[in-house]
Amino acid sequence: MSRPIRLMIVDDSMVARAVLSRMIEADGEFEIAAVAGSAESAIEALAHVVVDIVLLDLEMPGAGGLKSIPRIIEAARGAQIMIVSSFAEEGAEETVAALALGAADTLPKPGTGRFNGRFSEILVARLRALGRADTQSRETAALIARSQASGPALRAMASEPIELLALGASTGGIHALGNFFAALPPRIRVPILVTQHLPAAFMTVFARQLGVAANRPAVVAEDGMALVPDTLFIAPGDAHLTIAAGFDGLVVKLVRHAVSSGCLPSVDPMLASVGALLGRKGLGVVLTGMGRDGVEGAAKLVACGGAVLAQDEASSAVWGMPRAIADAGLAAAILPPDKLARRVSSRCSEK
């Protein structure tokens, strides 16, 4: 039997800490390794205890949860951060900021007296998914390294300039996207599509914050929008972002059909449409995330002559989506986000 998933709960409310502990410990798959009433106390405790997940409230005395995320990530030595806070629902700005700083997932905390059964089920399911993915990643890293000592087989990538860049991500993706755009040249002269798994309510805030991080215009995509170079077109939370041929060039086409991954929005339709219309001149990048969303679309893009790059395991919050690309033999490169950005820039026209 595998060891339990170890957690730390960081919340200034003693009642919240006690209730969350009871909910989590009722499932034998988890162990509460530590609790803390402030971010500062959590950082001190993490010097002496090893955990897989840190449950973090955002509204606390002192430095607070949001500003402390980078320090907690550093102190936690690879543990995932899950935000459990009323701000996760009421303050989308704070939630997206937390994800951008490296939090892996968020969950709105119920109001006083509303820690009901449904919340408990959702919390445990999300923790289980995050903990299992992280534990699997840690436990299989050495095996992967041994079995692929020379690295996974990589596909050749065309050298001609691309005409469109498409990025897909899920858990940990906002932080990875920030690192990617920080290393990307300010102008690459092609439109940029982004599919990030987030609820629709967060997309406007996400677009605004990603635009600032990328130093480019960023919009939540709408059906029929003309694709403009060096502009980010972001999949809305209730539709898949694909492209179609318009009268004067490529345009956005939003679709809502079911996909095998169950994701909405999904990376698969985006990459497939890029392959169908652009072939060798389409380039996809799959960043950190749970599951396998993106692998089917990547296969179609590659079959049409395009290329796909994947984030490496060491820099991923959860090496699920990019690993699926690597395991399927579809990747032309497997690198951290900043180095992926340099590979992308090598395919961009200088004119």
Side-chain angles (χ1 to χ4, degrees):
M1 184 175 179
S2 60
R3 68 169 179 81
I5 299 167
R6 292 167 57 83
L7 296 98
M8 168 184 276
I9 298 174
V10 187
D11 196 303
D12 64 319
S13 167
M14 184 180 297
V15 172
R17 295 198 301 269
V19 173
L20 289 170
S21 295
R22 286 199 300 271
M23 286 181 177
I24 295 167
E25 288 186 319
D27 188 304
E29 197 167 341
F30 302 97
E31 174 188 343
I32 305 300
V35 297
S38 68
E40 292 85 353
S41 297
I43 291 167
E44 291 178 6
L46 285 167
H48 308 287
V49 64
V50 176
V51 299
D52 300 299
I53 304 173
V54 177
L55 273 71
L56 179 66
D57 189 17
L58 292 181
E59 189 177 16
M60 294 185 293
L66 182 62
K67 293 181 179 179
S68 301
I69 288 173
R71 294 171 59 210
I72 291 174
I73 289 174
E74 182 180 2
R77 301 183 297 280
Q80 304 287 1
I81 310 298
M82 180 171 181
I83 303 300
V84 181
S85 171
S86 58
F87 278 6
E89 181 175 49
E90 298 167 3
E93 291 275 4
E94 288 84 354
T95 305
V96 176
L99 292 167
L101 288 170
D105 199 2
T106 67
L107 183 65
K109 182 190 294 184
T112 304
R114 293 196 291 116
F115 282 81
N116 54 32
R118 182 61 181 153
F119 172 80
S120 177
E121 292 173 10
I122 295 171
L123 174 65
V124 169
R126 300 274 278 275
L127 289 173
R128 183 178 294 116
L130 192 60
R132 281 178 176 172
D134 187 51
T135 300
Q136 182 185 39
S137 175
R138 294 184 186 190
E139 292 178 349
T140 60
L143 178 61
I144 293 169
R146 288 195 298 270
S147 65
Q148 300 179 339
S150 59
L154 299 177
R155 287 183 171 268
M157 181 168 63
S159 59
E160 64 201 75
I162 60 171
E163 293 185 1
L164 185 142
L165 172 64
L167 301 119
S170 185
T171 308
I174 296 180
H175 185 61
L177 285 165
N179 290 338
F180 176 87
F181 282 112
L184 195 68
R187 293 188 63 197
I188 62 171
R189 298 173 178 81
V190 301
I192 303 170
L193 308 184
V194 178
T195 293
Q196 165 71 48
H197 295 169
L198 276 177
F202 292 117
M203 287 305 181
T204 300
V205 173
F206 171 55
R208 184 167 61 248
Q209 294 193 359
L210 186 59
V212 172
N215 195 28
R216 290 171 167 83
V219 297
V220 178
E222 297 179 6
D223 212 39
M225 276 184 171
L227 295 184
V228 179
D230 287 307
T231 295
L232 309 183
F233 295 87
I234 298 169
D238 60 355
H240 310 302
L241 171 59
T242 70
I243 60 173
F247 291 112
D248 297 314
L250 297 176
V251 299
V252 168
K253 182 179 180 182
L254 299 181
V255 296
R256 292 176 172 81
H257 59 267
V259 296
S260 62
S261 69
C263 298
L264 184 68
S266 167
V267 180
D268 283 321
M270 177 181 69
L271 295 181
S273 72
V274 171
L277 268 73
L278 296 176
R280 291 169 61 87
K281 296 183 179 180
L283 179 59
V285 176
V286 177
L287 300 171
T288 173
M290 294 182 189
R292 295 175 54 83
D293 185 30
V295 71
E296 292 181 9
K300 293 176 181 177
L301 174 55
V302 168
C304 293
V308 179
L309 312 180
Q311 186 171 351
D312 67 346
E313 189 272 339
S315 67
S316 295
V318 179
W319 203 46
M321 288 165 51
R323 180 182 179 182
I325 302 296
D327 287 349
L330 297 169
I334 304 171
L335 298 165
D338 58 333
K339 293 184 178 179
L340 291 176
R342 296 187 187 104
R343 288 294 181 94
V344 170
S345 66
S346 72
R347 292 283 312 278
C348 295
S349 172
E350 297 180 357
K351 295 183 179 180

